[in-house]
Amino acid sequence: MNTIAEQIADFLKEYSPFNHLTFEELSEIANSIRVINLDKNKELFQVNDILHDSFYVVASGVINLSVIADAEETLLNKCNAGDIFGLRPFFAKNNYMMTAKAREETIIYAIPIVTFRPFVANNSQVLNYLLESFAINTRNPKDKANLFGKLISDTVYYSDQQSEMQYFQSLSYTVSPLITKKSTTAQEASLLMTESLKNNILIIENDLPVGIITDTDMRSKIATGRYPLTVLVDKIMSSPVITVMENISLAEAQLLMLKHNVTHLCVTLDGTDKSAIKGVINEHDLIIAQANNPGVLIKEIKRCQTSKEIKLIRDRLTDLIQTSITKNIPISHIFNIASEINLAIIKRSVELSIFELGSPPARFAWLSIGSQGRKEQLLLTDQDSILIFEDVAADKYRDVKDYFLKLAKKTTSILEKIGYEFCPNGHMGSNLIWCKSLTDWTKQYDSWMNTPGENSNEISSIFFDYEIAFGEQKIEDAITNIIFKNAKNNTLLFDFLGNDALRKNSPLSFFKNFNVEDDEPNKNKFDIKTRALLPLIDGARLFALYFEIRGINNTFQRFKQFAITDPKHSEVYLKCAEAFLTLSKFRTLEGLKNDNSGQYINLEELTKTDREKLKNALLPMKELEDLIKSKFQLTQFS
């Protein structure tokens, strides 16, 4: 081994996860490492860059990791010597979601993922460390500071890694903790705990937490006679208290309790012991959260053998959505969780069909289209899907298509039993025209996009929002390439889609009153889907095609991305992003309340404040409409 590689190996073995590897393994890695010198303020990668083939370790200097949220740069984390960053290529397929920039002159080690992957596969400690680092984005084991203060925000989080879901699941906690002063005796503290049925009491000084006493302390220190009942609490309390911010997730709380060997965490305003107390998290809170943990639900789905079993889990997802909204968890975060669970349900339904029919005769992809394709399906709405199988020899085509139609019919039937109704427009893989080969699909998209309007009764924009639920990633990529190739400089298409986006009836009248339905059964109700959400969804899809933004299908995330891509109009895009979340929340609450799709809002039942909030969320639509008109100079289909 050459001396440079030797120096690198010596450096790495001081830090996790490399300290879990043998010297031979480290030497092999060190030999493949590239050394990168970065000048001050030089970027290694930025938001939306294509993923690199390596991840990185800071050798010396400092790297700042930042994101753009609401068109402002926010510093997420600083990486010092020994810190790992840039792990996204390990766990996700979409582009970087943050920027890495040298804060001073910095030396970086680039470790090729292809070299490192075998060591991850064979060593669970290394894998857990990487998962944890990717999820919480910190970490130098020598750093004794609070490791969990700097979390990736909801707007940034997106991952294909289901096992990470628990890193982003918020916790409920006790919001009115029991508190007392240092001058209290153990006897007085135990009486307070008994009267209030609490198993812990926080000790405060100047209103700040300095210690905690739990049932365990009382048993091990007082009941055993080690200390008399008259002892002051500051002699038996555990100190310092481990403090956290209120947005701590389930996994982070578990890791902290394990790390510090404690059973309680104190929630404070800024996560330190120098700010106001907000509550206490105990082990019982973790157990409750675990039962509805998205990761747990996904594992259970993978084991299901019947549609009946899956349906029970889908019902628990509804509860999870309901609780999350009540707890004021951001709806963008709820979209992520629900979409991962919906995806697991679709995937399992396809698997169960394959178990029954036998192995597929060709490779294929099952794509969810429409709201699930955009990761926006919170309610039990109808199912939308397409099936694409690889090209096969002409004499095999009929048999192959026959198999996939049977597969699709079985799968859609399972999904219907789970509670996803059949699509009334027949947009499902079980429909003869939406189950075909890659070449046939290529012709279909070519026809839609190059002669829009000619088959306008057939084109449905939901076919442009899709997500692979099962099968070959390469098939989905091929469709994406066809779409973006056809979209390039395609004035006719943008003219058609632009007019289509503007064709919806206006949500507000000239006098800024709600335009409501005239006919029964929804007379005087407001159609939030058609009049409010669809114009935003259509507008976001139109601009995503125009700006060639791949891999982001979610309407909210699309608008946030446009603010970065087209900063001149960032204000309009950001208003639309917020409006979309507000409107989605209204629709979801309506749907949960009435056990339906939430499409029609009963305005009579809204409070005055909510009516105003709903009205304000409709205002950015006019600006979006004007932007579409000016950007696309609409003529042909106007």
Side-chain angles (χ1 to χ4, degrees), residues 231-375:
V231 72
L232 297 184
V233 285
D234 65 343
K235 295 285 182 291
I236 60 165
M237 68 186 184
S238 303
S239 180
V241 189
I242 307 304
T243 54
V244 294
M245 287 172 80
E246 69 174 334
N247 64 355
I248 188 167
S249 71
L250 171 63
E252 292 151 19
Q254 284 171 321
L255 288 165
L256 266 184
M257 284 184 185
L258 284 169
K259 179 177 159 52
H260 296 283
N261 193 22
V262 295
T263 53
H264 294 73
L265 303 169
C266 175
V267 180
T268 62
L269 200 56
D270 69 0
T272 73
D273 57 7
K274 301 285 180 283
S275 70
I277 297 167
K278 296 197 75 175
V280 169
I281 296 170
N282 62 36
E283 284 182 313
H284 182 62
D285 297 325
L286 302 194
I287 292 162
I288 289 171
Q290 205 99 43
N292 272 337
N293 173 311
V296 171
L297 294 188
I298 286 165
K299 275 186 189 140
E300 286 182 29
I301 291 163
K302 286 177 178 171
R303 288 198 292 265
C304 287
Q305 297 300 321
T306 63
S307 54
K308 208 172 181 175
E309 289 171 23
I310 303 175
K311 187 179 188 312
L312 293 172
I313 296 174
R314 182 59 187 75
D315 295 343
R316 278 161 65 192
L317 171 59
T318 303
D319 296 340
L320 183 64
I321 292 167
Q322 180 91 61
T323 321
S324 301
I325 287 181
T326 314
K327 277 163 60 179
N328 257 335
I329 290 173
I331 200 131
S332 54
H333 177 63
I334 304 172
F335 277 146
N336 279 328
I337 291 175
S339 121
E340 291 293 339
I341 293 171
N342 279 323
L343 208 56
I345 288 173
I346 297 164
K347 192 174 181 182
R348 189 60 184 158
S349 303
V350 177
E351 282 171 355
L352 292 175
S353 304
I354 291 173
F355 291 153
E356 210 174 312
L357 282 176
S359 297
R363 284 178 292 206
F364 74 103
W366 181 285
L367 302 188
S368 286
I369 55 173
S371 60
Q372 172 57 21
R374 291 190 304 273
K375 301 182 184 304

Side-chain angles (χ1 to χ4, degrees), residues 88-105:
R88 181 158 284 276
F90 257 114
F91 301 116
K93 67 179 178 195
N94 55 324
N95 299 350
Y96 283 114
M97 302 210 70
M98 53 181 74
T99 295
K101 187 195 282 185
R103 190 175 153 208
E104 59 197 48
E105 210 168 288

Side-chain angles (χ1 to χ4, degrees), residues 13 20 61 102 106 155 169 177 227 259 307 323 329 346 355 361 450 469 491 501-502 540 578 584-585 601 603 614:
K13 74 170 194 286
H20 298 300
T106 302
T155 48
Q169 187 188 357
Y227 291 92
K259 179 177 159 52
S307 54
T323 321
I329 290 173
I346 297 164
F355 291 153
N450 296 318
T491 328
L502 301 180
E578 285 313 311
S584 298
K585 192 167 181 176
I601 304 278
L603 298 169
L614 180 57

Side-chain angles (χ1 to χ4, degrees), residues 421-522:
E421 287 176 15
F422 290 129
C423 172
N425 303 315
H427 294 145
M428 294 182 296
S430 52
N431 183 335
L432 202 64
I433 55 173
W434 308 132
C435 168
K436 48 194 174 192
S437 70
L438 185 53
T439 296
D440 288 348
W441 271 111
T442 305
K443 286 178 188 157
Q444 178 70 74
Y445 277 101
D446 284 346
S447 150
W448 276 336
M449 297 179 78
N450 296 318
T451 54
E454 286 181 27
N455 322 319
S456 58
N457 60 330
E458 203 185 278
I459 184 171
S460 176
S461 44
I462 64 166
F463 288 94
F464 292 93
D465 298 330
Y466 50 81
E467 175 184 44
I468 187 163
F470 189 96
E472 285 288 315
Q473 181 61 51
K474 282 180 182 157
I475 293 178
E476 185 197 38
D477 295 342
I479 290 292
T480 304
N481 291 336
I482 290 154
I483 288 173
F484 282 100
K485 189 175 126 236
N486 278 330
K488 218 169 181 59
N489 306 321
N490 189 337
T491 328
L492 200 62
L493 174 73
F494 290 118
D495 201 12
F496 180 82
L497 290 177
N499 278 293
D500 194 48
L502 301 180
R503 205 163 277 138
K504 310 288 182 291
N505 294 329
S506 170
L508 296 175
S509 69
F510 181 75
F511 297 107
K512 297 280 178 283
N513 292 322
F514 290 102
N515 280 328
V516 293
E517 299 302 290
D518 294 327
D519 303 322
E520 293 296 352
N522 298 303

